[in-house]
Amino acid sequence: AVSPVAAEIAAPKAGAGVPDPLARQAAPKGPPAVLRFRCPNWQKECDGTYDLVKDKVANDRPVWKMRGGERWLYLTTDKNWGVGGQREFGENFNCKNSYVFHPRTMGAPSPDLTKGL
């Protein structure tokens, strides 16, 4: 299962009675900067914290890299979110390979938005 790391986003406080134009803006949308991944089966080397890789996409979706490891969380060419290694990275994720994937992700924009996980 893939789930986002809990984070708090607070609107900036207006100072000294002066309205802050940013205070009413919504939090920026986009993929989470950090994800926690936990594999339900024997692929425990894929478990960990994954950080969003800026300016890197796989099959039109963002990519996350495992902290302290050579694993990446990405969308495969079959439109499943999966975790792969150096081989998949070397192919620029233009593959359906992965150590582990979830077949019901249906190309969700981000792995934390998948249904049925």
Side-chain angles (χ1 to χ4, degrees), residues 3-111:
S3 62
V5 171
E8 290 184 22
I9 300 174
K13 294 182 180 179
V18 177
D20 185 341
L22 297 177
R24 293 188 181 191
Q25 289 184 358
K29 297 201 183 242
V34 179
L35 291 170
R36 297 272 307 156
F37 181 87
R38 190 179 58 131
C39 188
N41 61 26
W42 53 273
Q43 292 284 7
K44 298 301 181 190
E45 70 274 5
C46 297
D47 289 1
T49 301
Y50 288 73
D51 296 304
L52 182 66
V53 180
K54 294 180 183 191
D55 302 321
K56 183 73 174 167
V57 295
N59 303 303
D60 297 320
R61 297 289 191 271
V63 173
W64 289 262
K65 185 178 186 301
M66 177 190 262
R67 286 184 190 170
E70 295 298 313
R71 297 282 186 267
W72 288 267
L73 180 57
Y74 61 95
L75 189 71
T76 68
T77 55
D78 283 348
K79 304 300 181 203
N80 295 311
W81 285 99
V83 174
Q86 285 285 34
R87 179 178 173 192
E88 292 78 18
F89 178 81
E91 294 177 10
N92 202 29
F93 308 108
N94 188 24
C95 57
K96 42 186 160 174
N97 306 355
S98 61
Y99 291 113
V100 61
F101 71 95
H102 198 291
R104 294 181 294 174
T105 56
M106 308 292 180
S110 180

